[in-house]
Amino acid sequence: MKRVKAIYPGSFDPPTNGHLDLIQRGSKIFDELVVAVLGNPEKQPLFSLAERRKMLEAMTADFDNVSVDTFDGLMVEYALRVGAGAVLRGIRAISDYEYELQMALMNRKLQPGLETVFMMPAEKYSYLSSRLVREIAQLGGAIDCLVPPLVAQKLREKIDVAHRFSAGEERPAPAAAATIPRVKASTAKTRKRKS
Ligand code: PNS
């Protein structure tokens, strides 16, 4: 029987319990699953690419057929490069569907041999998104039931540093300061998809 290698691409900023749920499901139906973290998102991420990769590696350490990688540029080109035949994407609610369908069809246009497979995470994660986790963490809310313990810890560390600097502590030199987010409530901008 043909072996199927799939990639699970995303921003994972930060990875959540919903992502982990999907990885778990994907690892059961694909022979090999590569969690592929996007390196060049439009916005400045809260966690660096290396930090996101490290968190995902720790979260997926127990899965024999799951690995973590990073990519930038076109996702279909990355999939081709690593020899993947399928792309795994999660659909939490009907609101995700329109954007996901558009992306899947565009990717099919770009690379007809690559199939997108949609899976649904457990219902209890249907309202969970990285954007909401970031916002809740930045505003001091409880995140422990939303992300794995390691991610919760990293979020607290990040937000704590941001609070110290927003409370008047001198910021480090620009190169180091670039990784420290400013703490503010997010403006309610409409995103294509709440990842
Ligand atoms: O977790 P996200 O932010 O919803 O993931 C979106 C992602 C990374 C899958 C998508 O933005 C992507 O594939 N970006 C890479 C650039 C690309 O291939 N763009 C064309 C999409 S049709």
Side-chain angles (χ1 to χ4, degrees):
M1 206 170 129
K2 200 176 168 203
R3 289 180 64 80
V4 182
K5 178 175 183 175
I7 60 167
Y8 176 31
S11 306
F12 305 104
D13 187 33
T16 67
N17 287 340
H19 292 129
L20 188 56
D21 180 277
L22 213 74
I23 291 168
Q24 222 154 18
R25 289 171 199 280
S27 75
K28 285 193 213 143
I29 66 163
F30 297 113
D31 297 295
E32 214 183 312
L33 182 65
V34 182
V35 181
V37 191
L38 178 67
N40 61 346
E42 292 159 23
K43 286 191 201 161
Q44 171 90 13
L46 178 62
F47 287 99
S48 71
L49 190 56
E51 287 171 322
R52 285 177 279 156
R53 181 185 194 144
K54 237 175 155 177
M55 288 187 279
L56 281 159
E57 277 170 351
M59 284 164 60
T60 58
D62 290 342
F63 298 98
D64 289 343
N65 62 342
V66 176
S67 59
V68 182
D69 195 9
T70 60
F71 78 105
D72 51 30
L74 274 182
M75 188 270 287
V76 291
E77 284 178 3
Y78 169 76
L80 206 62
R81 237 179 7 254
V82 297
V87 178
L88 173 64
R89 289 289 289 171
I91 294 210
R92 296 161 294 191
I94 202 75
S95 49
D96 284 340
Y97 182 70
E98 211 176 323
Y99 171 61
E100 290 297 331
L101 179 70
Q102 185 185 20
M103 194 159 66
L105 293 177
M106 183 57 83
N107 283 331
R108 180 184 280 169
K109 179 83 186 160
L110 294 170
Q111 191 54 249
L114 188 67
E115 292 296 341
T116 297
V117 176
F118 293 133
M119 291 185 85
M120 294 160 292
E123 305 88 278
K124 63 182 173 185
Y125 301 129
S126 59
Y127 56 85
L128 181 52
S129 74
S130 296
R131 185 186 65 84
L132 284 180
V133 168
R134 286 197 303 272
E135 184 167 323
I136 292 163
Q138 283 171 333
L139 297 173
I143 44 158
D144 296 275
C145 53
L146 307 176
V147 294
L150 166 87
V151 177
Q153 178 60 30
K154 294 280 170 209
L155 267 165
R156 274 192 284 270
E157 286 168 14
K158 223 34 48 211
I159 303 307
D160 188 47
V161 171
H163 273 287
R164 286 207 332 259
F165 293 119
S166 70
E169 206 170 296
E170 202 176 311
R171 280 188 166 259
T179 62
I180 298 169
R182 291 182 185 279
V183 176
K184 66 170 171 99
S186 80
T187 46
K189 274 188 200 145
T190 314
R191 270 204 62 191
K192 286 180 216 123
R193 178 189 154 130
K194 295 162 192 69
S195 62

